[in-house]
Amino acid sequence: MTDWFPLWLSLRVSATATVVAAMVGIGLAYLLAKGRFRGRGLLEAVATMPIVLPPTVLGYYLLTTLGVNSPVGRAWERLFGGPLVFTPTAAVVAASLSALPFVVRTGRAAIEDVDPRLEAALRVAGHPEWRIATLVTLPMARRGVLAGIALGFARALGDFGATVMVAGNIPGRTQTLPIAVYDSVQAGNDSAARTGALILAGIAVVVLLTVTSLSTRRT
Amino acid sequence: MSTADAPSWTRRAVGVLVGAAVAMVLVGCGADGASPPGALEVDRITVAAASDLRPAFEELGQAFEAATGTSVTFSFGSSGQLREQIVNGAPFHLFAAANVSFVDEVIASGRGVATTKADYALGRIVLWAPSGVALPKSIEELTDARYRRIAIANPDHAPYGLAAEQALKSAGVHDRIRSRLVYGENISDTFRIVQSNNAEIGIVALSLAIADGSQYTLVPAELHEPLEQALVVTSRGEHGNAAAAFARFLGSPAGREVMVRYGFVLPGEALPTS
């Protein structure tokens, strides 16, 4: 009998994380592409950091900032009656941060690629900036933005290091598919490890094909 | 691609967002539903257990569920990793460590109920190699050049790794083989390193060698500090009684039978001479 919980949990966690990363990430991408303000470089560096940071370092920082001994962790415990760490929600936080840089970087490049003359024309015609952004800039940059979201989803689904540190390896509760693969290898359960690995590899291929088709069929 | 399909793109995006929002709510419910303060549903307890216990505890978990109706979910890792998680608020009800020092640390941090601390077994280490590799008859033979990589668990946070290191030092071979040591994350990781032929030989827990049904050479217990395996009920409050019941089950005749079969020496029993 195969336990499908890890796959189901992984899909739930990474779908939620993708939505969070998309909402925050598109906003940040737009700000970085269009905004001219002090600390822009620093903001971009911080938003991109999870790509280059070892996941364990990200996990360590999350455990320190969200753990039961941190102000955030304590406030969470007061509000919701239980610690944030070692819950599926903690896995969502880790996965969202892992996915964010992909949305920000790819999205920013796509937004910068939109012909500025088009936006200038609308500006001259008296349209407010938010209308230009939602009616022209973002729709025209959608392929790049979607490619970033797809990559972010794949990264969220694949996270191991940060998730295992901040959410642990609790079967039936926080054991995502990548962690289940690791656990199966440790337990000597080769067939479960093989199934999990195959599913993750399959999803990765589908995501990469999607990204390729998004970036090649340009008009 | 023209503006003609922009509306359909928008609709799709909205669909994805709505779907994901529903998923978010589901995850939220999962997170909250599992730990409502005070609610008692003792159909399941979660146990953090040192990974030398995996084969024995998986069997015991099933027997416990059959006897009491309470199922047991295990999270296996090195005692140090699990201690770290519990100190940081991980939702375990019972902690079964490979060495009593980790239990003491959990109690000192305020996350373990001191009165529930109990020794439940003495662990043993063995030299183990997959079939096809000549098994050394003693730890001194590890200096033989045929053992190019020797796997032990990380002594920094895995008690079985520390015991292996102590045994190597007591036998006076540690310095000579130090450069050939490779470290597993915990003792079952170490076992897999050897089993997959990524090391010629390993020093692993007796319980894992027995579970595998293969040959091993027992390392004399006097070469290392005793692997005093102890447990403690965590101070989360919820499910404390069920966790204590599982701890008692380990010492029951049915529990002892399983532990002995996996090579553990139980409290009150003499250490068999190797």
Side-chain angles (χ1 to χ4, degrees):
Chain A
M1 194 196 81
T2 314
D3 178 13
W4 293 107
F5 179 86
L7 174 62
W8 170 228
L9 177 70
S10 269
L11 290 175
R12 276 199 319 184
V13 166
S14 44
T16 314
T18 306
V19 174
V20 174
M23 291 195 298
V24 178
I26 294 172
L28 272 177
Y30 189 83
L31 201 64
L32 290 169
K34 301 290 178 194
R36 295 288 173 267
F37 52 92
R38 277 181 58 168
R40 182 162 147 271
L42 186 66
L43 180 65
E44 176 162 30
V46 170
T48 313
M49 239 164 54
I51 288 187
V52 284
L53 269 189
T56 45
V57 174
L58 180 62
Y60 170 75
Y61 281 137
L62 284 176
L63 200 54
T64 321
T65 43
L66 308 177
V68 284
N69 299 317
S70 69
V72 178
R74 283 211 202 97
W76 180 280
E77 207 162 339
R78 261 199 304 279
L79 275 173
F80 299 99
L84 167 61
V85 287
F86 303 102
T87 63
T89 313
V92 170
V93 174
S96 304
L97 283 175
S98 305
L100 185 65
F102 292 92
V103 182
V104 173
R105 283 199 84 89
T106 320
R108 180 193 168 170
I111 289 167
E112 282 176 341
D113 267 358
V114 176
D115 191 343
R117 285 171 302 182
L118 210 60
E119 295 162 324
L122 282 152
R123 210 165 287 135
V124 169
H127 290 285
E129 285 300 320
W130 67 269
R131 273 191 73 88
I132 302 174
T134 50
L135 284 180
V136 177
T137 314
L138 290 176
M140 289 194 71
R142 68 178 183 277
R143 287 183 167 281
V145 171
L146 283 175
I149 291 174
L151 283 171
F153 171 77
R155 179 65 186 79
L157 186 72
D159 185 70
F160 174 84
T163 307
V164 83
M165 285 186 76
V166 80
N169 170 16
I170 307 170
R173 190 156 148 78
T174 64
Q175 192 186 69
T176 59
L177 194 50
I179 298 172
V181 168
Y182 173 76
D183 205 60
S184 299
V185 172
Q186 300 250 310
N189 187 349
D190 282 344
S191 74
R194 208 176 306 125
T195 309
L198 210 61
I199 292 171
L200 287 170
I203 295 175
V205 169
V206 170
V207 168
L208 290 175
L209 287 176
T210 310
V211 170
T212 311
S213 80
L214 280 170
S215 50
T216 49
R217 288 189 316 172
R218 304 202 67 143
T219 46
Chain B
M1 286 292 160
S2 65
T3 45
D5 62 1
S8 77
W9 172 76
T10 317
R11 266 202 304 279
R12 253 178 293 153
V14 168
V16 169
L17 280 174
V18 168
V22 170
M24 200 184 306
V25 170
L26 286 176
V27 170
C29 291
D32 295 335
S35 58
L40 252 167
E41 31 104 36
V42 196
D43 51 336
R44 192 168 87 159
I45 56 169
T46 311
V47 175
S51 49
D52 65 295
L53 298 165
R54 192 190 283 263
F57 269 31
E58 277 179 347
E59 208 176 311
L60 283 167
Q62 284 176 8
F64 184 72
E65 184 176 0
T68 63
T70 301
S71 78
V72 191
T73 302
F74 296 105
S75 187
F76 295 105
S78 79
S79 297
Q81 291 164 341
L82 296 170
R83 179 229 21 223
E84 217 41 46
Q85 295 183 8
I86 292 167
V87 167
N88 280 296
F92 298 118
H93 305 116
L94 185 72
F95 175 36
N99 200 315
V100 65
S101 62
F102 296 93
V103 163
D104 290 334
E105 285 166 23
V106 163
I107 293 170
S109 77
R111 301 245 163 217
V113 182
T115 51
T116 62
K117 174 184 158 184
D119 285 346
Y120 62 91
L122 269 185
R124 295 298 306 269
I125 52 173
V126 298
L127 300 169
W128 184 81
S131 55
V133 177
L135 200 61
K137 290 183 186 58
S138 75
I139 201 163
E140 286 82 5
E141 286 180 32
L142 288 178
T143 52
D144 192 318
R146 84 172 86 189
Y147 305 118
R148 286 177 300 155
R149 277 153 309 193
I150 301 164
I152 70 172
N154 190 330
D156 290 339
H157 57 80
Y160 276 85
L162 185 63
E165 193 181 70
Q166 288 167 347
L168 289 167
K169 283 178 177 161
S170 310
V173 297
H174 186 257
D175 288 344
R176 272 185 288 164
I177 60 139
R178 188 204 292 264
S179 61
R180 290 189 264 150
L181 288 177
V182 291
Y183 298 97
E185 274 290 284
N186 53 58
I187 201 63
S188 49
D189 188 36
T190 310
F191 189 84
R192 296 308 147 202
I193 290 173
V194 185
Q195 193 182 41
S196 58
N197 295 306
N198 286 298
E200 281 76 24
I201 187 130
I203 304 181
V204 304
L206 171 61
S207 54
L208 299 182
I210 291 177
D212 191 65
S214 43
Q215 295 295 305
Y216 55 84
T217 303
L218 209 53
V219 174
E222 56 274 14
L223 289 184
H224 59 87
E225 300 278 320
L227 278 160
E228 250 181 90
Q229 305 209 189
L231 56 80
V232 69
V233 174
T234 62
S235 51
R236 292 178 66 84
E238 42 159 36
H239 303 355
N241 291 336
F246 182 73
R248 280 196 305 277
F249 185 71
L250 289 181
S252 73
R256 290 172 80 94
E257 185 274 316
V258 173
M259 293 298 281
V260 166
R261 188 146 40 79
Y262 284 100
F264 291 103
V265 181
L266 300 182
E269 283 186 1
L271 201 66
T273 45
S274 41

